Amino acid sequence: MSVHRRRSGHRAVRDDWSASPAHHAAPGGGAGRGIRVLLCCEGSIVGAGMRALLDQQPDIAVIGYSTGTDSEAAAADSTPDVTVVVAPALTIENKRELTALAALTKVIHITKAENASRSIEILRLGVRAVLAPDTSADELIHVLRTVSAGSAMVIPEAARRSLDHLPQRHASALAASVVPSLTPRETEVIVLLTQGKSNAEIAEKLSVSTATVRSHVHHLLRKLGVGSRAQAVAVAYETGLMAAIEQNSKDAGRS
């Protein structure tokens, strides 16, 4: 077993759950040039199984493991592109730890979160994707690549379906001030973001370039005062912005 330690002496990245084959080389070079993944989970069987799955991918390299208590230190030491957190190593109750981790790396959180409000709460912390434990291996790999590219946020399908059935909220002061400032195109983009669409999917849907989509997303983040598209979606629902957009659309349809 090998254990890497920070200069401070605290435990950081473990690579002892290594029953899987050695890392495959990423396209264009050796291991480490692809997507570097840190796994944060409590069970060695879960960790070893996930590593065996991810190590089969030529563009993904698992660089180590951490537990919930040392995940921030591990991410600071190993600078992964993506950290996959499997509950209960960290849960929504660990807000400080998840927020700190999300500030260091893109986080995919695997947890039972069929409830839309809970999924939104997790996204609000900066987590890029929330997946259900029964997510397929192919879907996990797809989401990992998508999140690594920085082009989408994801929540479980069950939770996504329930977003439209959240209790109607009165638009907050933020929503009331933001809605009039949104251009028609920005309104379309925020709606597509709430559906988990990637930049490429939004570009295709709106018949514009991905560069144009990135520009719209940038403006949306600035207007909402957030740092990521996941947080933008969370704020859009929490503040009643989506309800206000929907109401404006209905009013326009009747006029």
mmCIF file of all heavy atoms in Angstrom, residues 71-117:
data_model
loop_
_atom_site.group_PDB
_atom_site.id
_atom_site.type_symbol
_atom_site.label_atom_id
_atom_site.label_comp_id
_atom_site.label_asym_id
_atom_site.label_seq_id
_atom_site.Cartn_x
_atom_site.Cartn_y
_atom_site.Cartn_z
ATOM 1 N N SER A 71 -11.025 14.491 1.485
ATOM 2 C CA SER A 71 -11.199 14.751 0.060
ATOM 3 C C SER A 71 -10.636 16.104 -0.360
ATOM 4 O O SER A 71 -10.045 16.229 -1.440
ATOM 5 C CB SER A 71 -12.685 14.670 -0.309
ATOM 6 O OG SER A 71 -13.449 15.571 0.468
ATOM 7 N N GLU A 72 -10.797 17.127 0.476
ATOM 8 C CA GLU A 72 -10.292 18.452 0.118
ATOM 9 C C GLU A 72 -8.770 18.426 0.011
ATOM 10 O O GLU A 72 -8.188 18.968 -0.933
ATOM 11 C CB GLU A 72 -10.745 19.482 1.151
ATOM 12 C CG GLU A 72 -10.308 20.899 0.819
ATOM 13 C CD GLU A 72 -10.747 21.907 1.861
ATOM 14 O OE1 GLU A 72 -11.494 21.535 2.792
ATOM 15 O OE2 GLU A 72 -10.356 23.082 1.743
ATOM 16 N N ALA A 73 -8.117 17.793 0.994
ATOM 17 C CA ALA A 73 -6.664 17.699 0.967
ATOM 18 C C ALA A 73 -6.194 16.886 -0.226
ATOM 19 O O ALA A 73 -5.201 17.224 -0.881
ATOM 20 C CB ALA A 73 -6.152 17.066 2.269
ATOM 21 N N ALA A 74 -6.918 15.810 -0.531
ATOM 22 C CA ALA A 74 -6.546 14.958 -1.652
ATOM 23 C C ALA A 74 -6.645 15.717 -2.970
ATOM 24 O O ALA A 74 -5.762 15.617 -3.827
ATOM 25 C CB ALA A 74 -7.441 13.724 -1.686
ATOM 26 N N ALA A 75 -7.721 16.484 -3.150
ATOM 27 C CA ALA A 75 -7.898 17.247 -4.378
ATOM 28 C C ALA A 75 -6.849 18.348 -4.498
ATOM 29 O O ALA A 75 -6.340 18.621 -5.590
ATOM 30 C CB ALA A 75 -9.300 17.844 -4.429
ATOM 31 N N ALA A 76 -6.514 18.972 -3.383
ATOM 32 C CA ALA A 76 -5.492 20.019 -3.404
ATOM 33 C C ALA A 76 -4.141 19.448 -3.795
ATOM 34 O O ALA A 76 -3.351 20.089 -4.501
ATOM 35 C CB ALA A 76 -5.412 20.695 -2.035
ATOM 36 N N ASP A 77 -3.843 18.244 -3.346
ATOM 37 C CA ASP A 77 -2.563 17.608 -3.646
ATOM 38 C C ASP A 77 -2.476 17.082 -5.064
ATOM 39 O O ASP A 77 -1.469 17.225 -5.744
ATOM 40 C CB ASP A 77 -2.320 16.443 -2.676
ATOM 41 C CG ASP A 77 -1.729 16.902 -1.361
ATOM 42 O OD1 ASP A 77 -1.479 18.115 -1.216
ATOM 43 O OD2 ASP A 77 -1.520 16.053 -0.482
ATOM 44 N N SER A 78 -3.547 16.431 -5.526
ATOM 45 C CA SER A 78 -3.462 15.704 -6.788
ATOM 46 C C SER A 78 -4.043 16.453 -7.980
ATOM 47 O O SER A 78 -3.867 16.028 -9.116
ATOM 48 C CB SER A 78 -4.175 14.354 -6.660
ATOM 49 O OG SER A 78 -5.541 14.548 -6.306
ATOM 50 N N THR A 79 -4.736 17.565 -7.727
ATOM 51 C CA THR A 79 -5.349 18.410 -8.763
ATOM 52 C C THR A 79 -6.050 17.599 -9.861
ATOM 53 O O THR A 79 -5.679 17.677 -11.037
ATOM 54 C CB THR A 79 -4.312 19.361 -9.405
ATOM 55 O OG1 THR A 79 -3.274 18.581 -10.025
ATOM 56 C CG2 THR A 79 -3.717 20.284 -8.369
ATOM 57 N N PRO A 80 -7.058 16.824 -9.498
ATOM 58 C CA PRO A 80 -7.785 16.033 -10.510
ATOM 59 C C PRO A 80 -8.643 16.934 -11.391
ATOM 60 O O PRO A 80 -9.018 18.041 -10.996
ATOM 61 C CB PRO A 80 -8.661 15.115 -9.657
ATOM 62 C CG PRO A 80 -8.916 15.917 -8.422
ATOM 63 C CD PRO A 80 -7.642 16.657 -8.159
ATOM 64 N N ASP A 81 -8.950 16.448 -12.584
ATOM 65 C CA ASP A 81 -9.888 17.166 -13.442
ATOM 66 C C ASP A 81 -11.310 17.003 -12.915
ATOM 67 O O ASP A 81 -12.101 17.938 -12.938
ATOM 68 C CB ASP A 81 -9.817 16.619 -14.871
ATOM 69 C CG ASP A 81 -8.440 16.803 -15.485
ATOM 70 O OD1 ASP A 81 -7.926 17.936 -15.455
ATOM 71 O OD2 ASP A 81 -7.874 15.811 -15.965
ATOM 72 N N VAL A 82 -11.614 15.788 -12.458
ATOM 73 C CA VAL A 82 -12.948 15.471 -11.945
ATOM 74 C C VAL A 82 -12.805 14.620 -10.696
ATOM 75 O O VAL A 82 -11.952 13.732 -10.640
ATOM 76 C CB VAL A 82 -13.789 14.692 -12.991
ATOM 77 C CG1 VAL A 82 -15.160 14.351 -12.429
ATOM 78 C CG2 VAL A 82 -13.922 15.480 -14.287
ATOM 79 N N THR A 83 -13.625 14.891 -9.695
ATOM 80 C CA THR A 83 -13.703 14.038 -8.511
ATOM 81 C C THR A 83 -15.086 13.409 -8.467
ATOM 82 O O THR A 83 -16.100 14.115 -8.541
ATOM 83 C CB THR A 83 -13.457 14.832 -7.221
ATOM 84 O OG1 THR A 83 -12.118 15.329 -7.227
ATOM 85 C CG2 THR A 83 -13.639 13.945 -5.990
ATOM 86 N N VAL A 84 -15.126 12.091 -8.386
ATOM 87 C CA VAL A 84 -16.399 11.367 -8.290
ATOM 88 C C VAL A 84 -16.630 11.030 -6.825
ATOM 89 O O VAL A 84 -15.853 10.283 -6.216
ATOM 90 C CB VAL A 84 -16.383 10.076 -9.140
ATOM 91 C CG1 VAL A 84 -17.706 9.332 -8.976
ATOM 92 C CG2 VAL A 84 -16.127 10.408 -10.606
ATOM 93 N N VAL A 85 -17.666 11.610 -6.237
ATOM 94 C CA VAL A 85 -17.996 11.409 -4.834
ATOM 95 C C VAL A 85 -19.168 10.449 -4.733
ATOM 96 O O VAL A 85 -20.221 10.695 -5.331
ATOM 97 C CB VAL A 85 -18.356 12.742 -4.145
ATOM 98 C CG1 VAL A 85 -18.770 12.504 -2.697
ATOM 99 C CG2 VAL A 85 -17.200 13.717 -4.214
ATOM 100 N N VAL A 86 -18.992 9.372 -3.992
ATOM 101 C CA VAL A 86 -20.057 8.390 -3.810
ATOM 102 C C VAL A 86 -20.568 8.482 -2.373
ATOM 103 O O VAL A 86 -19.819 8.251 -1.424
ATOM 104 C CB VAL A 86 -19.554 6.958 -4.099
ATOM 105 C CG1 VAL A 86 -20.704 5.962 -3.975
ATOM 106 C CG2 VAL A 86 -18.920 6.876 -5.486
ATOM 107 N N ALA A 87 -21.838 8.868 -2.207
ATOM 108 C CA ALA A 87 -22.419 8.910 -0.866
ATOM 109 C C ALA A 87 -22.397 7.485 -0.288
ATOM 110 O O ALA A 87 -22.523 6.514 -1.039
ATOM 111 C CB ALA A 87 -23.845 9.446 -0.927
ATOM 112 N N PRO A 88 -22.175 7.351 1.025
ATOM 113 C CA PRO A 88 -22.226 8.392 2.049
ATOM 114 C C PRO A 88 -20.878 9.017 2.412
ATOM 115 O O PRO A 88 -20.749 9.614 3.475
ATOM 116 C CB PRO A 88 -22.784 7.623 3.255
ATOM 117 C CG PRO A 88 -22.176 6.261 3.106
ATOM 118 C CD PRO A 88 -22.130 5.987 1.622
ATOM 119 N N ALA A 89 -19.851 8.866 1.568
ATOM 120 C CA ALA A 89 -18.564 9.494 1.883
ATOM 121 C C ALA A 89 -18.768 10.986 2.138
ATOM 122 O O ALA A 89 -18.236 11.550 3.095
ATOM 123 C CB ALA A 89 -17.571 9.270 0.751
ATOM 124 N N LEU A 90 -19.531 11.634 1.262
ATOM 125 C CA LEU A 90 -19.992 13.006 1.479
ATOM 126 C C LEU A 90 -21.443 13.068 1.035
ATOM 127 O O LEU A 90 -21.800 12.514 -0.006
ATOM 128 C CB LEU A 90 -19.163 14.004 0.662
ATOM 129 C CG LEU A 90 -17.712 14.261 1.090
ATOM 130 C CD1 LEU A 90 -17.026 15.202 0.099
ATOM 131 C CD2 LEU A 90 -17.641 14.834 2.496
ATOM 132 N N THR A 91 -22.268 13.752 1.815
ATOM 133 C CA THR A 91 -23.682 13.899 1.484
ATOM 134 C C THR A 91 -24.047 15.378 1.507
ATOM 135 O O THR A 91 -23.203 16.235 1.781
ATOM 136 C CB THR A 91 -24.569 13.147 2.492
ATOM 137 O OG1 THR A 91 -24.530 13.836 3.758
ATOM 138 C CG2 THR A 91 -24.081 11.707 2.677
ATOM 139 N N ILE A 92 -25.300 15.691 1.240
ATOM 140 C CA ILE A 92 -25.761 17.075 1.258
ATOM 141 C C ILE A 92 -25.572 17.699 2.625
ATOM 142 O O ILE A 92 -25.498 18.920 2.771
ATOM 143 C CB ILE A 92 -27.242 17.159 0.822
ATOM 144 C CG1 ILE A 92 -27.687 18.617 0.661
ATOM 145 C CG2 ILE A 92 -28.133 16.432 1.788
ATOM 146 C CD1 ILE A 92 -26.880 19.429 -0.309
ATOM 147 N N GLU A 93 -25.474 16.858 3.652
ATOM 148 C CA GLU A 93 -25.237 17.382 5.000
ATOM 149 C C GLU A 93 -23.820 17.924 5.151
ATOM 150 O O GLU A 93 -23.546 18.717 6.048
ATOM 151 C CB GLU A 93 -25.475 16.290 6.043
ATOM 152 C CG GLU A 93 -26.839 15.608 5.944
ATOM 153 C CD GLU A 93 -27.995 16.592 5.976
ATOM 154 O OE1 GLU A 93 -27.890 17.612 6.693
ATOM 155 O OE2 GLU A 93 -28.999 16.346 5.274
ATOM 156 N N ASN A 94 -22.907 17.514 4.276
ATOM 157 C CA ASN A 94 -21.509 17.968 4.328
ATOM 158 C C ASN A 94 -21.325 19.162 3.394
ATOM 159 O O ASN A 94 -20.491 19.147 2.485
ATOM 160 C CB ASN A 94 -20.564 16.834 3.918
ATOM 161 C CG ASN A 94 -20.732 15.596 4.761
ATOM 162 O OD1 ASN A 94 -21.242 14.574 4.310
ATOM 163 N ND2 ASN A 94 -20.293 15.679 6.013
ATOM 164 N N LYS A 95 -22.090 20.202 3.624
ATOM 165 C CA LYS A 95 -22.081 21.364 2.733
ATOM 166 C C LYS A 95 -20.707 22.016 2.638
ATOM 167 O O LYS A 95 -20.245 22.371 1.554
ATOM 168 C CB LYS A 95 -23.120 22.386 3.199
ATOM 169 C CG LYS A 95 -24.557 21.968 2.992
ATOM 170 C CD LYS A 95 -25.508 23.067 3.406
ATOM 171 C CE LYS A 95 -26.954 22.716 3.055
ATOM 172 N NZ LYS A 95 -27.422 21.516 3.737
ATOM 173 N N ARG A 96 -20.039 22.194 3.762
ATOM 174 C CA ARG A 96 -18.732 22.857 3.738
ATOM 175 C C ARG A 96 -17.744 22.051 2.920
ATOM 176 O O ARG A 96 -17.015 22.593 2.085
ATOM 177 C CB ARG A 96 -18.186 23.034 5.161
ATOM 178 C CG ARG A 96 -16.936 23.935 5.216
ATOM 179 C CD ARG A 96 -16.069 23.646 6.410
ATOM 180 N NE ARG A 96 -15.451 22.325 6.350
ATOM 181 C CZ ARG A 96 -14.389 22.050 5.597
ATOM 182 N NH1 ARG A 96 -13.840 22.982 4.837
ATOM 183 N NH2 ARG A 96 -13.868 20.840 5.598
ATOM 184 N N GLU A 97 -17.713 20.742 3.140
ATOM 185 C CA GLU A 97 -16.751 19.884 2.435
ATOM 186 C C GLU A 97 -17.032 19.847 0.935
ATOM 187 O O GLU A 97 -16.118 19.935 0.119
ATOM 188 C CB GLU A 97 -16.790 18.469 3.014
ATOM 189 C CG GLU A 97 -16.225 18.351 4.415
ATOM 190 C CD GLU A 97 -17.231 18.707 5.503
ATOM 191 O OE1 GLU A 97 -18.371 19.116 5.148
ATOM 192 O OE2 GLU A 97 -16.884 18.591 6.691
ATOM 193 N N LEU A 98 -18.305 19.725 0.556
ATOM 194 C CA LEU A 98 -18.646 19.681 -0.866
ATOM 195 C C LEU A 98 -18.340 21.009 -1.560
ATOM 196 O O LEU A 98 -17.846 21.039 -2.690
ATOM 197 C CB LEU A 98 -20.119 19.326 -1.053
ATOM 198 C CG LEU A 98 -20.487 17.846 -0.947
ATOM 199 C CD1 LEU A 98 -22.004 17.667 -0.990
ATOM 200 C CD2 LEU A 98 -19.836 17.040 -2.063
ATOM 201 N N THR A 99 -18.627 22.115 -0.869
ATOM 202 C CA THR A 99 -18.345 23.436 -1.438
ATOM 203 C C THR A 99 -16.849 23.621 -1.646
ATOM 204 O O THR A 99 -16.407 24.110 -2.698
ATOM 205 C CB THR A 99 -18.891 24.546 -0.528
ATOM 206 O OG1 THR A 99 -20.307 24.381 -0.371
ATOM 207 C CG2 THR A 99 -18.619 25.914 -1.116
ATOM 208 N N ALA A 100 -16.063 23.230 -0.647
ATOM 209 C CA ALA A 100 -14.606 23.354 -0.753
ATOM 210 C C ALA A 100 -14.065 22.476 -1.873
ATOM 211 O O ALA A 100 -13.181 22.887 -2.631
ATOM 212 C CB ALA A 100 -13.954 22.981 0.584
ATOM 213 N N LEU A 101 -14.597 21.264 -1.983
ATOM 214 C CA LEU A 101 -14.146 20.339 -3.014
ATOM 215 C C LEU A 101 -14.504 20.870 -4.399
ATOM 216 O O LEU A 101 -13.689 20.808 -5.333
ATOM 217 C CB LEU A 101 -14.776 18.967 -2.784
ATOM 218 C CG LEU A 101 -14.251 17.803 -3.633
ATOM 219 C CD1 LEU A 101 -12.764 17.598 -3.394
ATOM 220 C CD2 LEU A 101 -15.031 16.528 -3.311
ATOM 221 N N ALA A 102 -15.713 21.409 -4.534
ATOM 222 C CA ALA A 102 -16.166 21.926 -5.827
ATOM 223 C C ALA A 102 -15.360 23.142 -6.268
ATOM 224 O O ALA A 102 -15.310 23.455 -7.463
ATOM 225 C CB ALA A 102 -17.652 22.287 -5.755
ATOM 226 N N ALA A 103 -14.736 23.830 -5.313
ATOM 227 C CA ALA A 103 -13.892 24.974 -5.652
ATOM 228 C C ALA A 103 -12.540 24.533 -6.204
ATOM 229 O O ALA A 103 -11.846 25.312 -6.858
ATOM 230 C CB ALA A 103 -13.687 25.854 -4.419
ATOM 231 N N LEU A 104 -12.177 23.276 -5.960
ATOM 232 C CA LEU A 104 -10.873 22.761 -6.379
ATOM 233 C C LEU A 104 -10.946 21.900 -7.633
ATOM 234 O O LEU A 104 -9.957 21.772 -8.368
ATOM 235 C CB LEU A 104 -10.256 21.924 -5.247
ATOM 236 C CG LEU A 104 -9.873 22.665 -3.968
ATOM 237 C CD1 LEU A 104 -9.524 21.665 -2.880
ATOM 238 C CD2 LEU A 104 -8.705 23.600 -4.228
ATOM 239 N N THR A 105 -12.096 21.274 -7.872
ATOM 240 C CA THR A 105 -12.221 20.303 -8.957
ATOM 241 C C THR A 105 -13.674 20.198 -9.368
ATOM 242 O O THR A 105 -14.572 20.579 -8.617
ATOM 243 C CB THR A 105 -11.705 18.917 -8.487
ATOM 244 O OG1 THR A 105 -11.930 17.948 -9.501
ATOM 245 C CG2 THR A 105 -12.419 18.469 -7.230
ATOM 246 N N LYS A 106 -13.923 19.704 -10.551
ATOM 247 C CA LYS A 106 -15.297 19.448 -10.984
ATOM 248 C C LYS A 106 -15.787 18.187 -10.274
ATOM 249 O O LYS A 106 -15.101 17.172 -10.284
ATOM 250 C CB LYS A 106 -15.349 19.279 -12.492
ATOM 251 C CG LYS A 106 -14.959 20.551 -13.234
ATOM 252 C CD LYS A 106 -14.755 20.301 -14.709
ATOM 253 C CE LYS A 106 -14.311 21.579 -15.399
ATOM 254 N NZ LYS A 106 -13.979 21.370 -16.826
ATOM 255 N N VAL A 107 -16.956 18.285 -9.656
ATOM 256 C CA VAL A 107 -17.449 17.199 -8.817
ATOM 257 C C VAL A 107 -18.694 16.549 -9.423
ATOM 258 O O VAL A 107 -19.637 17.232 -9.815
ATOM 259 C CB VAL A 107 -17.777 17.703 -7.393
ATOM 260 C CG1 VAL A 107 -18.379 16.575 -6.547
ATOM 261 C CG2 VAL A 107 -16.532 18.262 -6.722
ATOM 262 N N ILE A 108 -18.655 15.218 -9.481
ATOM 263 C CA ILE A 108 -19.837 14.417 -9.797
ATOM 264 C C ILE A 108 -20.243 13.716 -8.512
ATOM 265 O O ILE A 108 -19.428 13.024 -7.901
ATOM 266 C CB ILE A 108 -19.536 13.373 -10.886
ATOM 267 C CG1 ILE A 108 -19.172 14.056 -12.198
ATOM 268 C CG2 ILE A 108 -20.730 12.434 -11.082
ATOM 269 C CD1 ILE A 108 -18.717 13.092 -13.285
ATOM 270 N N HIS A 109 -21.472 13.904 -8.089
ATOM 271 C CA HIS A 109 -21.940 13.342 -6.830
ATOM 272 C C HIS A 109 -22.929 12.215 -7.113
ATOM 273 O O HIS A 109 -23.950 12.434 -7.775
ATOM 274 C CB HIS A 109 -22.617 14.423 -5.993
ATOM 275 C CG HIS A 109 -22.773 14.059 -4.549
ATOM 276 N ND1 HIS A 109 -23.876 14.394 -3.810
ATOM 277 C CD2 HIS A 109 -21.951 13.388 -3.703
ATOM 278 C CE1 HIS A 109 -23.736 13.943 -2.574
ATOM 279 N NE2 HIS A 109 -22.571 13.332 -2.496
ATOM 280 N N ILE A 110 -22.608 11.020 -6.667
ATOM 281 C CA ILE A 110 -23.498 9.875 -6.842
ATOM 282 C C ILE A 110 -24.239 9.655 -5.530
ATOM 283 O O ILE A 110 -23.647 9.301 -4.511
ATOM 284 C CB ILE A 110 -22.709 8.617 -7.239
ATOM 285 C CG1 ILE A 110 -21.977 8.863 -8.564
ATOM 286 C CG2 ILE A 110 -23.646 7.420 -7.364
ATOM 287 C CD1 ILE A 110 -21.119 7.701 -9.015
ATOM 288 N N THR A 111 -25.540 9.891 -5.568
ATOM 289 C CA THR A 111 -26.335 9.817 -4.352
ATOM 290 C C THR A 111 -27.786 9.579 -4.706
ATOM 291 O O THR A 111 -28.221 9.867 -5.821
ATOM 292 C CB THR A 111 -26.208 11.131 -3.541
ATOM 293 O OG1 THR A 111 -26.947 11.018 -2.325
ATOM 294 C CG2 THR A 111 -26.744 12.309 -4.329
ATOM 295 N N LYS A 112 -28.541 9.048 -3.775
ATOM 296 C CA LYS A 112 -29.971 8.872 -3.977
ATOM 297 C C LYS A 112 -30.633 10.223 -3.778
ATOM 298 O O LYS A 112 -30.819 10.676 -2.655
ATOM 299 C CB LYS A 112 -30.534 7.841 -2.997
ATOM 300 C CG LYS A 112 -31.987 7.486 -3.264
ATOM 301 C CD LYS A 112 -32.474 6.390 -2.321
ATOM 302 C CE LYS A 112 -33.918 6.027 -2.610
ATOM 303 N NZ LYS A 112 -34.423 4.969 -1.697
ATOM 304 N N ALA A 113 -30.969 10.875 -4.883
ATOM 305 C CA ALA A 113 -31.501 12.236 -4.797
ATOM 306 C C ALA A 113 -32.639 12.425 -5.783
ATOM 307 O O ALA A 113 -32.632 13.333 -6.597
ATOM 308 C CB ALA A 113 -30.390 13.247 -5.067
ATOM 309 N N GLU A 114 -33.637 11.524 -5.703
ATOM 310 C CA GLU A 114 -34.780 11.642 -6.611
ATOM 311 C C GLU A 114 -35.549 12.932 -6.366
ATOM 312 O O GLU A 114 -36.203 13.464 -7.243
ATOM 313 C CB GLU A 114 -35.733 10.452 -6.445
ATOM 314 C CG GLU A 114 -35.169 9.131 -6.954
ATOM 315 C CD GLU A 114 -34.354 8.412 -5.906
ATOM 316 O OE1 GLU A 114 -34.167 8.991 -4.824
ATOM 317 O OE2 GLU A 114 -33.911 7.283 -6.176
ATOM 318 N N ASN A 115 -35.465 13.432 -5.126
ATOM 319 C CA ASN A 115 -36.158 14.662 -4.790
ATOM 320 C C ASN A 115 -35.482 15.838 -5.488
ATOM 321 O O ASN A 115 -34.291 16.064 -5.331
ATOM 322 C CB ASN A 115 -36.144 14.864 -3.269
ATOM 323 C CG ASN A 115 -36.880 16.110 -2.859
ATOM 324 O OD1 ASN A 115 -36.363 17.205 -2.993
ATOM 325 N ND2 ASN A 115 -38.084 15.952 -2.349
ATOM 326 N N ALA A 116 -36.251 16.585 -6.275
ATOM 327 C CA ALA A 116 -35.679 17.671 -7.067
ATOM 328 C C ALA A 116 -35.034 18.737 -6.197
ATOM 329 O O ALA A 116 -33.970 19.260 -6.520
ATOM 330 C CB ALA A 116 -36.766 18.293 -7.941
ATOM 331 N N SER A 117 -35.675 19.066 -5.088
ATOM 332 C CA SER A 117 -35.136 20.107 -4.213
ATOM 333 C C SER A 117 -33.760 19.734 -3.684
ATOM 334 O O SER A 117 -32.867 20.581 -3.568
ATOM 335 C CB SER A 117 -36.099 20.366 -3.048
ATOM 336 O OG SER A 117 -37.329 20.854 -3.517
#
